[in-house]
């Protein structure tokens, strides 16, 4: 039973790692766009990459909270933890079950309405007013996932994942790539 919960936790950790990489890339792209007029002249390419990263981020965050059968997600991790006799595992499962946020609700609505299903009857202005979300809100949700995973890992006796290095690397690598892009665009 611990083995199954550990496998699920590892898969969710991998999803969160992708989210962190996307967050770093989105931050770096936005920063580069503000600072570099040359990038603003290539709006098609820039917005295609930027929009694609947002879509990928929304899909990954949705996968982390997906409750579909046979999906490695936090709800499935909670189920696996509840099967264990450990009071710590029970507490971690309860924390996952009770975790709620307005950010998650908005991300779910974006995934369901815009990214995954592209609903026909959609008042875009009304949707944006109700479900507008920014990078800081997504980052808060990712940090919530990180804390829940840390709690679950402690209850399973698993090594903690140290995401700080990944966060720094994501920003640094994205900035290096964009510096080359800017240099080449200016040439």
């Amino acid at each position: 039973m611990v083995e199954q919960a550990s496998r699920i936790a590892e898969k969710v950790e991998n999803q969160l790692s992708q989210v962190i990489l996307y967050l770093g890339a989105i931050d770096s792209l936005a920063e580069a766009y503000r600072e570099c007029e040359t990038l603003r002249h290539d709006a098609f390419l820039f917005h295609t990459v930027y929009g694609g990263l947002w879509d990928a981020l929304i899909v990954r965050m949705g996968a982390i909270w997906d409750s579909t059968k046979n999906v490695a997600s936090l709800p499935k991790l909670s189920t696996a933890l509840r099967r264990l006799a450990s009071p710590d595992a029970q507490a971690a499962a309860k924390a996952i079950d009770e975790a709620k946020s307005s950010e998650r609700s908005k991300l779910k609505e974006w995934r369901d309405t815009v990214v995954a299903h592209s609903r026909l009857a959609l008042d875009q202005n009304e949707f944006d007013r109700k479900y507008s979300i920014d990078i800081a809100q997504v980052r808060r949700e990712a940090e919530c996932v990180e804390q829940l995973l840390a709690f679950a890992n402690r209850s399973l006796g698993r090594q903690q994942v140290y995401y700080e290095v990944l966060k720094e690397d994501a920003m640094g690598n994205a900035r290096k790539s964009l510096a080359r892009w800017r240099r080449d665009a200016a040439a």
Side-chain angles (χ1 to χ4, degrees), residues 88 91-93 95-96 146-156 160:
D88 288 342
I96 291 168
E146 184 179 341
Q147 291 167 1
L148 291 168
L149 277 170
F151 191 6
N153 281 331
R154 280 191 304 274
S155 77
L156 294 168
Q160 296 300 314

Side-chain angles (χ1 to χ4, degrees), residues 54-141:
W54 265 102
D55 286 353
L57 177 66
I58 289 166
V59 168
R60 291 280 181 184
M61 289 301 292
I64 288 171
W65 286 102
D66 194 338
S67 58
T68 305
K69 186 177 179 177
N70 296 322
V71 172
S73 63
L74 283 175
K76 296 303 177 190
L77 178 57
S78 172
T79 299
L81 289 169
R82 268 191 255 104
R83 292 182 179 138
L84 303 175
S86 160
D88 288 342
Q90 298 299 314
K94 184 177 180 186
I96 291 168
D97 294 342
E98 292 178 353
K100 303 279 186 251
S101 72
S102 64
E103 291 88 2
R104 185 170 335 121
S105 298
K106 289 178 182 182
L107 285 164
K108 181 177 180 354
E109 196 61 35
W110 268 94
R111 183 207 166 276
D112 293 349
T113 303
V114 177
V115 178
H117 303 295
S118 191
R119 293 194 184 137
L120 288 173
L122 176 66
D123 179 343
Q124 190 64 50
N125 291 331
E126 177 69 12
F127 182 85
D128 289 344
R129 187 184 63 71
K130 287 173 77 174
Y131 301 108
S132 177
I133 191 161
D134 62 34
I135 199 75
Q137 292 171 308
V138 178
R139 188 171 283 107
R140 278 194 301 273
E141 181 60 20

